[in-house]
């Protein structure tokens, strides 16, 4: 038995706040030259290059001979292609965690590489991931068409990453990427932390003029494609359809002013199909939008029955006069691959059915968690610092795409953590980076065989899980922080520091000077030295000069010890 839920939404109770212009929009024209920008002269939306969002891939332009079906979408002229690496990711920061977003990607092949790689017989295929989760498989069979893909989802972190994943049937590419904040809790209430809605073309303005309608008419920049159903004709009104306040869906008035009605005055038929089998038990959400154009007397009714695959889901639905209302059909997709939906004139209806607009989505759950956010930030800092391009997307997940050189631990309910980082033999120089301090779950850290300089940072002792630290074969100097030394002595840390010529290693007493484990002998030596110093070095000028010298080098006491100077220097 199919689980069917049906719901009629009349006025939503809450009014809407003002939605600001392009605020909350990120519009990226992939493959555009750095520094450029392009303005859509219909929407006024400014598209920026993708250079700040990705560090891999190659830019291409589409030959004008393939532009014929590009509509008025200027962002489809260029694309970025990813011949190298299996997974390549865009990262969009400054996302409001917990808010709802529409993310839209366009793919237009246009034979950009001259390889004729997309045809019905041999489609160009690759996967799209949203963060660490599978989103959809692209199946591009027509070089002249563009393929839109949308998801309405709640931001689980303060960034989104969109990854293109090679699956063996061609080189992934992307034409544009758009992010739209949907800053109302009342719209798409079916979207929440565990439930996202995905679609391709399925948001249609029926009965309207050809072309597409989007921002600014649609505040959220949803794209409404013009489409007519078979055996129907368009009707329209010049009256304004009331959508605000109270219409949670905010379907633009211009869309609601047109509708279709059946040629034979009986039934409007459409079907939903083409569901991808990789969605596990998905649910279909079909939103139908209605508005009555005529002020009907009571005896002239328009009543609609909603029938799906010959089963009546709803009877006697009555559209409201010049006011947007909606029917939400929710049904679990089963083995049937086509759902025939019919809007039929009810038995008691005088007038035929109408339909003004239609949206259909399937649910997608994004079950896998992204890595711990502080680990992600730390790893991104390292990636940027060392410009490591093979590190793409989330550091740990999915598991088979974990970054080279790290090991993560996974648990069912907590985000993955980075527990091992191996940067051995990467020809790294400068100081040991502070970012490592944010890898709070790190257990194994191998920085050996590089050219790290400067002191061993104190923060390493604060990494409470650290069990192995290999700093050998670098140019580190200074001393080993006491706390690290103690962990090593207590058997909690395997520490390797050999072949750091400037490093003060254990056995010279340099470290012990800092701490409490001073031996009696050392103490005696110190006292004698102090007495000798106070007796012999009476010349004030000499003392002053020495003090100044000592103060100039307070952070490297061991260096002075190694040079055979007074033990006292260690305390300055
Ligand atoms: C947009 O502007 C460009 C140049 O400014 C022009 O060539 C093009 O025809 C315009 N497109 C539309 C749809 O108005
Ligand atoms: C790809 O699209 C073509 C044409 O629409 C279709 O015949 C084919 O089954 C699709 N392949 C997959 C794997 O979806
Ligand atoms: C998300 O929405 C779905 C469908 O409305 C609902 O079944 C589910 O319980 C919701 N989950 C959460 C975490 O709110
Ligand atoms: C979009 O809105 C503008 C301003 O309200 C209006 O002039 C324009 O005709 C609308 N576009 C469509 C396609 O209705
Ligand atoms: C509205 O309908 C009339 C005929 O009833 C038609 O001439 C006109 O083009 C339609 N307008 C639109 C925008 O579809
Ligand atoms: C549909 O209704 C209109 C008027 O209400 C009528 O003129 C037309 O003949 C009807 N069409 C059919 C196929 O019954
Ligand atoms: C009217 O058209 C619909 C779909 O086009 C069809 O299913 C239905 O049987 C037709 N009804 C009549 C009475 O012709
Ligand atoms: C509805 O009632 C009006 C009078 O109130 C009458 O003129 C009209 O013919 C009736 N229409 C129908 C379809 O019964
Ligand atoms: C849906 O309608 C098509 C014809 O338009 C028919 O071939 C198909 O069997 C129908 N599917 C179901 C599940 O009723
Ligand atoms: C780090 O990688 C090197 C090889 O690149 C390997 O020899 C070394 O054992 C690794 N370190 C750890 C802690 O696994
Ligand atoms: C660094 O030291 C650890 C612990 O002894 C060892 O497992 C690792 O292989 C060393 N790294 C290299 C590159 O030898």
């Amino acid at each position: 038995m199919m689980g069917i839920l049906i719901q009629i939404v009349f006025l939503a109770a809450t009014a809407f706040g003002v939605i600001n212009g392009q605020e909350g929009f990120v519009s990226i024209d992939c493959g555009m030259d750095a520094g450029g920008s392009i303005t859509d002269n219909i929407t006024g939306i400014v598209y920026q290059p993708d250079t700040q969002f990705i560090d891999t891939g190659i830019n291409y332009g589409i030959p004008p001979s393939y532009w014929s079906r590009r509509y008025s979408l200027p962002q489809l002229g260029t694309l970025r292609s990813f011949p190298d690496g299996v997974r390549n990711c865009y990262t969009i920061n400054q996302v409001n965690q917990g808010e709802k977003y529409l993310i839209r990607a366009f793919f237009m092949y246009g034979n950009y590489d001259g390889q004729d790689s997309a045809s019905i017989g041999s489609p160009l295929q690759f996967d799209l991931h949203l963060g660490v989760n599978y989103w959809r498989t692209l199946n591009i069979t027509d070089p002249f068409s563009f393929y839109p893909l949308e998801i309405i989802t709640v931001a689980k972190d303060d960034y989104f990453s969109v990854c293109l994943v090679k699956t063996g049937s061609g080189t992934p590419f992307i034409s544009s990427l758009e992010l739209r904040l949907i800053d109302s809790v009342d719209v798409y209430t079916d979207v929440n932390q565990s439930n996202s809605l995905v679609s391709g073309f399925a948001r249609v303005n029926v009965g309207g003029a050809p072309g597409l309608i989007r921002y600014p008419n649609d505040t959220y920049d949803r794209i409404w494609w013009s489409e007519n159903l078979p055996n129907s004709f368009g009707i329209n009104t010049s009256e304004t359809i009331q959508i605000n306040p109270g219409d949670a869906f905010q379907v633009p008035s211009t869309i609601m002013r047109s509708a279709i009605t059946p040629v034979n005055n009986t039934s409007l038929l459409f079907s939903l199909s083409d569901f991808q089998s990789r969605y596990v038990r998905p649910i279909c959400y079909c939103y139908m939008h209605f508005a009555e154009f005529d002020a009907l007397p009571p005896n002239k009714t328009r009543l609609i029955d909603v029938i799906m695959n010959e089963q009546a889901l709803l009877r006697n639905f009555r559209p409201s006069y010049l006011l947007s209302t909606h029917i939400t059909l929710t049904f679990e997709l089963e083995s049937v691959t086509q759902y025939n939906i019919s809007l039929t004139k009810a038995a008691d209806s005088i007038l035929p059915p109408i339909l003004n607009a239609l949206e259909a989505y399937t649910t997608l759950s994004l079950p896998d968690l992204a890595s711990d956010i502080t680990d992600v930030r730390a790893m991104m800092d390292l990636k940027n610092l060392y410009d490591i391009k093979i590190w793409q997307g989330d550091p740990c997940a999915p598991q088979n795409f974990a970054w080279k050189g790290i090991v993560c631990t996974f648990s069912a309910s907590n985000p993955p953590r980075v527990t091992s980082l191996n940067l051995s033999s990467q020809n790294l120089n400068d100081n040991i980076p502070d970012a490592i301090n944010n890898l709070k779950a790190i257990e194994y850290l191998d920085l050996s065989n590089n050219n790290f300089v400067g002191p061993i940072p104190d923060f390493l002792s604060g990494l409470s899980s650290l069990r192995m630290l290999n700093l050998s074969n670098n140019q580190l100097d200074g001393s080993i922080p006491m706390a690290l030394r103690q962990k090593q002595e207590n058997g909690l840390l395997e520490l390797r520091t050999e072949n750091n010529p400037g490093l003060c290693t254990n056995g010279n007493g340099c470290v012990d000077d800092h701490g409490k484990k001073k031996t009696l002998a050392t103490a005696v030596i110190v006292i004698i030295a102090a007495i000798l110093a106070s007796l012999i070095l009476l010349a004030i000028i000499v003392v002053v000069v020495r003090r100044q010298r000592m103060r100039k080098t307070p952070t490297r006491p061991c260096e002075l010890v190694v040079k055979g100077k007074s033990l006292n220097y260690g305390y300055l």
Side-chain angles (χ1 to χ4, degrees):
M1 181 62 200
M2 196 182 290
I4 295 167
L5 201 117
I6 187 154
Q7 190 187 355
I8 304 170
V9 184
F10 288 94
L11 285 179
T14 46
F16 280 85
V18 176
I19 291 150
N20 294 324
Q22 278 175 245
E23 216 171 277
F25 285 20
V26 178
S27 307
I28 304 169
D29 182 351
C30 306
M32 190 202 288
D33 288 340
S37 85
I38 189 170
T39 304
D40 182 320
N41 37 11
I42 296 170
T43 61
I45 291 172
V46 179
Y47 287 82
Q48 57 178 318
D50 56 0
T51 39
Q52 73 176 94
F53 305 99
I54 193 152
D55 58 3
T56 51
I58 302 171
N59 292 354
Y60 284 93
I62 289 182
S65 53
Y66 285 86
W67 284 3
S68 59
R69 279 187 269 148
R70 207 173 53 138
Y71 279 74
S72 47
L73 300 166
Q75 68 271 38
L76 301 182
T78 59
L79 58 84
R80 191 181 280 257
S81 160
F82 301 95
D84 298 322
V86 177
R87 179 174 69 158
N88 287 279
C89 300
Y90 282 81
T91 303
I92 302 171
N93 290 311
Q94 276 148 19
V95 163
N96 302 339
Q97 188 173 4
E99 296 247 41
K100 216 163 2 193
Y101 284 86
L102 165 67
I103 304 173
R104 179 167 50 225
F106 280 114
F107 305 84
M108 181 165 180
Y109 172 58
N111 196 21
Y112 71 87
D113 54 0
Q115 303 288 307
D116 288 315
S117 330
S119 64
I120 302 253
S122 167
L124 172 51
Q125 291 174 335
F126 52 90
D127 284 355
L128 207 62
H129 289 193
L130 182 64
V132 302
N133 288 284
Y134 171 82
W135 174 359
R136 175 120 193 181
T137 299
L138 267 297
N139 178 21
I140 294 168
T141 53
D142 180 1
F144 288 93
S145 290
F146 62 89
Y147 294 73
L149 214 52
E150 284 189 1
I151 185 164
I152 304 175
T153 192
V154 173
K156 290 185 179 165
D157 292 297
D158 61 1
Y159 65 95
F160 277 116
S161 70
V162 172
C163 302
L164 295 103
V165 180
K166 217 182 265 178
T167 54
S169 308
T171 302
F173 72 90
I174 183 167
S175 304
S176 76
L177 192 55
E178 300 168 342
L179 202 66
R180 307 290 182 243
L181 174 64
I182 299 183
D183 55 354
S184 162
V185 291
D186 298 314
V187 62
Y188 302 111
T189 52
D190 300 309
V191 175
N192 58 32
Q193 288 283 351
S194 54
N195 216 23
S196 299
L197 294 181
V198 289
S199 78
F201 268 108
R203 186 184 300 109
V204 294
N205 169 27
V206 287
L212 51 87
I213 294 176
R214 56 185 299 192
Y215 186 83
N217 304 71
D218 190 309
T219 25
Y220 303 122
D221 193 29
R222 288 165 296 188
I223 294 181
W224 298 84
W225 312 94
S226 176
E227 193 82 57
N228 282 318
L229 302 186
N231 305 316
S232 69
F233 63 93
I235 54 172
N236 63 55
T237 180
S238 53
E239 303 281 342
T240 298
I241 309 292
Q242 195 186 330
I243 59 160
N244 198 19
D247 175 13
F249 282 87
Q250 298 270 299
V251 181
S253 183
T254 182
I255 287 167
M256 294 305 293
R257 276 202 291 256
S258 65
I260 52 167
T261 193
V263 170
N264 69 6
N265 295 340
T266 311
S267 290
L268 284 171
L269 248 187
F270 62 94
S271 59
L272 301 175
S273 60
D274 189 37
F275 304 110
Q276 282 201 354
S277 56
R278 271 182 75 173
Y279 297 121
V280 184
R281 289 185 73 74
I283 295 172
C284 182
Y285 286 89
C286 179
Y287 305 114
M288 293 180 272
H289 304 281
F290 300 89
E292 177 63 63
F293 297 159
D294 299 316
L296 302 174
N299 61 353
K300 201 178 175 195
T301 51
R302 189 192 305 278
L303 299 170
I304 304 172
D305 287 348
V306 180
I307 295 160
M308 184 166 74
N309 289 356
E310 287 163 9
Q311 185 186 0
L313 304 183
L314 174 69
R315 292 202 184 278
N316 296 321
F317 170 72
R318 184 198 298 261
S320 301
Y321 177 54
L322 299 183
L323 176 68
S324 279
T325 56
H326 322 275
I327 293 176
T328 300
L329 280 186
T330 309
F331 54 95
E332 224 168 70
L333 297 176
E334 295 183 329
S335 52
V336 193
T337 54
Q338 190 178 7
Y339 291 81
N340 295 334
I341 296 172
S342 164
L343 300 176
T344 300
K345 186 174 135 181
D348 295 336
S349 182
I350 305 293
L351 295 171
I354 56 166
L355 175 66
N356 303 58
L358 173 70
E359 296 170 77
Y361 302 87
T362 48
T363 51
L364 179 65
S365 69
L366 305 169
D368 294 334
L369 295 173
S371 300
D372 176 84
I373 187 72
T374 56
D375 284 359
V376 171
R377 290 203 186 110
M379 293 305 299
M380 288 305 266
D381 285 348
L382 292 173
K383 170 183 160 64
N384 294 333
L385 181 63
Y386 299 126
D387 196 22
I388 305 177
K389 295 195 195 307
I390 59 164
W391 284 358
Q392 290 286 311
D394 188 272
C396 298
Q399 217 159 338
N400 50 330
F401 288 113
W403 289 2
K404 192 165 178 287
I406 68 169
V407 176
C408 303
T409 52
F410 296 84
S411 76
S413 51
N414 294 314
R417 298 302 306 254
V418 175
T419 50
S420 169
L421 173 63
N422 189 348
L423 291 173
S424 179
S425 307
Q426 298 302 310
N427 204 19
L428 307 177
N429 45 34
D430 220 331
N431 291 337
I432 291 176
D434 290 343
I436 289 175
N437 189 24
N438 291 323
L439 294 172
K440 296 297 185 197
I442 191 98
E443 296 172 21
Y444 300 88
L445 180 58
D446 193 341
L447 302 177
S448 63
N449 305 322
N450 287 298
N451 298 305
F452 284 117
V453 299
I456 298 176
D458 279 331
F459 65 70
L460 291 172
S461 359
L463 296 170
S464 58
S465 303
L466 195 62
R467 284 193 273 156
M468 192 283 287
L469 176 60
N470 192 343
L471 301 173
S472 59
N473 296 308
N474 280 292
Q475 308 297 325
L476 297 166
D477 55 32
S479 69
I480 298 168
M482 192 56 186
L484 269 189
R485 178 78 76 192
Q486 255 163 16
K487 276 182 87 172
Q488 184 188 27
E489 281 169 8
N490 296 340
L492 299 173
L493 177 69
E494 181 180 358
L495 175 65
R496 288 182 54 184
T497 58
E498 73 266 19
N499 292 327
N500 283 280
L503 188 68
C504 163
T505 51
N506 199 15
N508 292 333
C510 51
V511 169
D512 288 353
D513 285 347
H514 294 279
K516 23 192 159 127
K517 292 176 112 191
K518 208 186 287 179
T519 62
L520 184 60
T522 315
V524 168
I525 292 169
V526 169
I527 291 163
I528 290 168
I531 291 167
L532 285 176
S534 60
L535 287 175
I536 298 164
L537 303 175
L538 290 172
I540 291 164
I541 296 166
V542 172
V543 169
V544 168
V545 167
R546 286 183 62 105
R547 258 189 206 153
Q548 284 171 342
R549 276 185 55 205
M550 289 184 287
R551 277 180 188 146
K552 274 179 193 160
T553 54
T555 55
R556 295 190 180 181
C558 280
E559 215 173 275
L560 298 178
V561 173
V562 169
K563 286 173 188 165
K565 309 241 167 145
S566 165
L567 290 167
N568 281 346
Y569 284 38
Y571 291 99
L572 289 171

